Amino acid sequence: MDKNQTTSNREDAQVLQNESFEALVQSVVDYAIFALDRNGYVSTWNAGAQRIKGYSANEILGKHFSTFYLQDAIDRGHPAHELKVAAETGRFEEEGQRLRKDGTVFWANVVITALYDSNHKVKGFLKVTRDITDRKTAEQQQKKLNSELELRVLERTSQLELRERELEYAKEQAEKANAAKSTFLANMSHEIRTPLGAILGFSEMIAEDCASSEEKETAKEAILRNGHLLMNLINDVLDLSKIEARKMEIEKSRIRFNDLKEELSATFSSPSRNKGIGFELNFASELPETLVTDPVRLKQILYNLIGNAIKFTDGGKVTVKVYPRGKEFVSFAITDTGIGISEEQQGILFSPFQQADSSITRSFGGTGLGLVLSRSLAQALGGDLDLSKSALQEGSTFVLTIPIVDEDESIQEMPVYNGTNANKIAAKILVVDDNADNRRLLSILLRKNHYVVETAGDGIECLEKLPLFEPNLVLMDLQMPRMDGITTATEMKRRHYRTPVIALTANALKEEKERCLGLGFAEYLTKPINKTQIEQAIQRNLVPVK
């Protein structure tokens, strides 16, 4: 074969190869394959390019390839940068966003390969573009899911950490509460046993034949004093439990500031004088004549605050200032020159079962209920109680603020029973109680007031004695064996007895009181027996003897 023939064959093969390659490129529809001249103008275009980018060959041939780029990429000179890198290195590849003919944006994988002549000079570029929008969307969704999962894990971890801290805090608080309650129970045991021991000891003294009249009189006074102390202690515990159960009863009436001033002076002048300290009452002249509130609860708060001030003051004085705060509130400022309270101790001052310092309990006694009970009562009255100022060895000032008036203008001033009644009628009273000591005590008190008294140990005995004794009034205990008080009163009603029945019970719950009054009891009195309250109730309900 001669040389010319060989050359011809090579040329034919080259043409065939080029035609085959062109046919192959044109058959590819998943990739945009096209050529650029060395300046970036489109010189060839395959079917894949038309499918992906939306341009036909007639529309795009001769146009610059920057047509496929977003404007910000063009402004940054990114198309020229791609050709520069490809020309210098032979190849450029990236993933980025490109434009279709209809203006929609898609993600593309782009590969640009430089084409060189025999002198290794760039004569053009071959560009292959693949649409990777589905892959990018999937990646973004996966990334979003991963981020959401990481966020959930982080949130859950944070929640667990927070829960762990809360549990740790709750554990610490529970341990502190248990320690405080243990201390409280120890103090309570001491506070109960102290007056109880005095009552038992002096009772034994009275029973001894060798005790003199003077010793017996001293013993009686001590028994009475310690009995009241024990009763006050029990009332504080019961009041605190009512407050915690949200069952505290508030009964408002109209009281005079002058009467309150006289009562405070009569109550605390002597104790302060016995300690050698001053006691001053300063009621502002701008105060109105009366105050509408629960007088029992107000006095309970003031007695606790003033009693504490006197107890913790060994020198100087205790001052009570009462002044209006605007037109709707009144403040009671109790100031002493006593031991004072440190800043650290002030933080637990109004916490249940706490005292400012454990040494206070040892030195002065007390259960640590007074201030928390007083603040709760103040809030129940529509006001508040705060420590205004205090310094160690300088003294303290507590300020109680409550409303002056009540929305219910119909509240009347409560009458005061003076212990006498010139129009008292002769009456027969039946005392029904299963406790023999209570029956005996009531009998003594009533007979001293010139009543005729008969007793019964339970409801059945009461029903037996009613037609024989024909009482004007019945004092009825509620909890008794065989037949209780409520059943007895119901049976009396069924038998058409119109005799007033006064409930006399140790149950101080509001629900029980409402139940008894709803069943027809004339009144509801709570033990321990208060002779003044009983006399008032008797006089309100007595009916003449048939």
Side-chain angles (χ1 to χ4, degrees), residues 234-513:
I234 294 172
N235 285 338
D236 281 351
V237 175
L238 292 177
D239 282 344
L240 186 61
S241 66
K242 288 179 183 179
I243 289 172
E244 291 180 344
R246 300 175 184 260
K247 293 184 177 179
M248 173 58 67
E249 301 174 35
I250 299 297
E251 299 180 2
K252 294 184 178 181
S253 62
R254 195 179 302 277
I255 60 174
R256 296 178 181 275
F257 277 106
N258 284 340
D259 293 343
L260 180 61
K261 182 178 181 180
E262 291 177 3
E263 183 170 341
L264 293 178
S265 177
T267 302
F268 294 105
S269 293
S270 179
S272 57
R273 187 166 50 250
N274 292 338
K275 284 198 70 175
I277 62 175
F279 180 66
E280 296 181 2
L281 285 169
N282 184 354
F283 279 59
S285 59
E286 299 85 4
L287 288 168
E289 183 179 354
T290 62
L291 166 70
V292 175
T293 189
D294 187 325
V296 173
R297 300 307 180 186
L298 173 60
K299 292 173 186 177
Q300 188 175 351
I301 299 169
L302 293 176
Y303 279 32
N304 179 67
L305 295 175
I306 299 172
N308 281 349
I310 293 174
K311 179 166 66 173
F312 297 130
T313 301
D314 291 328
K317 64 181 179 178
V318 172
T319 304
V320 179
K321 293 183 179 180
V322 185
Y323 53 91
R325 180 167 287 183
K327 295 182 179 180
E328 298 181 354
F329 291 89
V330 59
S331 290
F332 299 78
I334 295 89
T335 302
D336 64 64
T337 56
I339 61 176
I341 306 166
S342 69
E343 291 186 6
E344 180 181 359
Q345 294 162 354
Q346 291 174 24
I348 61 171
L349 199 58
F350 291 98
S351 299
F353 314 117
Q354 298 280 358
Q355 282 191 321
D357 189 341
S358 59
S359 62
I360 292 177
T361 301
R362 294 190 295 269
S363 301
F364 297 95
T367 60
L369 292 178
L371 286 177
V372 66
L373 178 58
S374 294
R375 168 174 274 185
S376 297
L377 290 174
Q379 292 171 349
L381 294 176
D384 209 347
L385 171 63
D386 293 294
L387 175 64
S388 176
K389 62 179 180 179
S390 186
L392 287 175
Q393 306 308 321
E394 294 182 13
S396 306
T397 297
F398 287 87
V399 178
L400 165 67
T401 302
I402 59 173
I404 292 179
V405 296
D406 191 89
E407 294 180 357
D408 185 1
E409 295 295 337
S410 64
I411 294 178
Q412 301 296 320
E413 186 172 347
M414 294 297 291
V416 178
Y417 175 74
N418 59 14
T420 64
N421 190 333
N423 299 319
K424 183 188 297 184
I425 64 174
K428 296 192 292 183
I429 298 176
L430 177 60
V431 177
V432 186
D433 198 312
D434 62 316
N435 186 288
D437 289 334
N438 284 339
R439 294 198 303 272
R440 189 177 300 111
L441 177 58
L442 278 168
S443 297
I444 293 172
L445 292 177
L446 294 173
R447 285 172 181 143
K448 282 185 177 181
N449 282 346
H450 309 291
Y451 296 114
V452 179
V453 182
E454 181 62 75
T455 63
D458 55 41
I460 293 177
E461 188 178 354
C462 168
L463 294 174
E464 292 173 351
K465 290 188 176 182
L466 277 173
L468 302 175
F469 185 55
E470 294 186 340
N472 303 95
L473 186 141
V474 177
L475 292 177
M476 180 85 70
D477 186 23
L478 296 184
Q479 294 183 358
M480 298 180 293
R482 296 206 300 171
M483 182 180 288
D484 61 44
I486 290 177
T487 304
T488 305
T490 303
E491 181 63 20
M492 287 176 60
K493 190 174 182 180
R494 192 188 69 81
R495 297 184 186 185
H496 305 293
Y497 282 101
R498 303 175 64 87
T499 310
V501 180
I502 296 177
L504 187 58
T505 175
N507 191 335
L509 293 178
K510 182 179 180 180
E511 293 83 354
E512 187 71 5
K513 178 179 179 180

Side-chain angles (χ1 to χ4, degrees), residues 31 36 65 69 78-95 109-116 120 122 124-130:
Y31 291 83
L36 307 175
F65 84 111
Y69 288 74
H78 191 63
H81 170 72
E82 292 180 2
L83 297 183
K84 183 176 182 294
V85 173
E88 292 174 353
T89 64
R91 190 175 187 273
F92 174 85
E93 182 176 2
E94 74 162 2
E95 291 181 353
N109 174 265
V110 176
V111 178
I112 300 176
T113 304
L115 302 176
Y116 300 97
H120 201 69
V122 175
F125 302 91
L126 183 63
K127 187 171 182 181
V128 179
T129 301
R130 180 164 57 97

Side-chain angles (χ1 to χ4, degrees), residues 71-302:
Q71 188 59 49
D72 66 330
I74 296 173
D75 294 340
R76 288 186 284 107
H78 191 63
H81 170 72
E82 292 180 2
L83 297 183
K84 183 176 182 294
V85 173
E88 292 174 353
T89 64
R91 190 175 187 273
F92 174 85
E93 182 176 2
E94 74 162 2
E95 291 181 353
Q97 290 183 317
R98 297 294 186 267
L99 275 175
R100 294 188 179 95
K101 177 184 175 181
D102 62 6
T104 58
V105 178
F106 69 99
W107 278 94
N109 174 265
V110 176
V111 178
I112 300 176
T113 304
L115 302 176
Y116 300 97
D117 60 16
S118 58
N119 295 321
H120 201 69
K121 289 184 178 182
V122 175
K123 64 178 182 179
F125 302 91
L126 183 63
K127 187 171 182 181
V128 179
T129 301
R130 180 164 57 97
D131 187 346
I132 59 171
T133 301
D134 291 342
R135 195 198 81 193
K136 279 290 187 180
T137 301
E139 288 177 353
Q140 289 174 350
Q141 290 177 344
Q142 185 63 44
K143 185 177 180 180
K144 181 181 178 182
L145 290 174
N146 290 341
S147 297
E148 292 177 351
L149 180 59
E150 290 175 0
L151 181 60
R152 290 179 182 177
V153 171
L154 182 61
E155 290 177 348
R156 183 57 178 164
T157 301
S158 299
Q159 290 174 355
L160 291 174
E161 291 176 351
L162 177 61
R163 181 60 177 164
E164 185 176 351
R165 289 195 297 269
E166 290 175 345
L167 290 174
E168 185 64 27
Y169 177 76
K171 179 184 176 183
E172 292 176 359
Q173 293 301 111
E175 290 175 350
K176 289 180 180 179
N178 286 335
K181 288 183 179 181
S182 296
T183 303
F184 164 75
L185 290 174
N187 294 340
M188 183 65 72
S189 176
H190 174 268
E191 292 298 312
I192 291 175
R193 288 175 180 274
T194 298
L196 190 58
I199 291 171
L200 293 174
F202 282 113
S203 297
E204 292 174 356
M205 178 187 294
I206 291 176
E208 293 175 355
D209 295 333
C210 59
S212 66
S213 298
E214 183 178 352
E215 288 174 337
K216 289 182 178 181
E217 189 63 32
T218 300
K220 291 177 184 178
E221 293 176 357
I223 290 171
L224 183 62
R225 182 174 60 254
N226 283 278
H228 284 302
L229 180 63
L230 191 59
M231 193 65 237
N232 290 336
L233 177 63
I234 294 172
N235 285 338
D236 281 351
V237 175
L238 292 177
D239 282 344
L240 186 61
S241 66
K242 288 179 183 179
I243 289 172
E244 291 180 344
R246 300 175 184 260
K247 293 184 177 179
M248 173 58 67
E249 301 174 35
I250 299 297
E251 299 180 2
K252 294 184 178 181
S253 62
R254 195 179 302 277
I255 60 174
R256 296 178 181 275
F257 277 106
N258 284 340
D259 293 343
L260 180 61
K261 182 178 181 180
E262 291 177 3
E263 183 170 341
L264 293 178
S265 177
T267 302
F268 294 105
S269 293
S270 179
S272 57
R273 187 166 50 250
N274 292 338
K275 284 198 70 175
I277 62 175
F279 180 66
E280 296 181 2
L281 285 169
N282 184 354
F283 279 59
S285 59
E286 299 85 4
L287 288 168
E289 183 179 354
T290 62
L291 166 70
V292 175
T293 189
D294 187 325
V296 173
R297 300 307 180 186
L298 173 60
K299 292 173 186 177
Q300 188 175 351
I301 299 169
L302 293 176

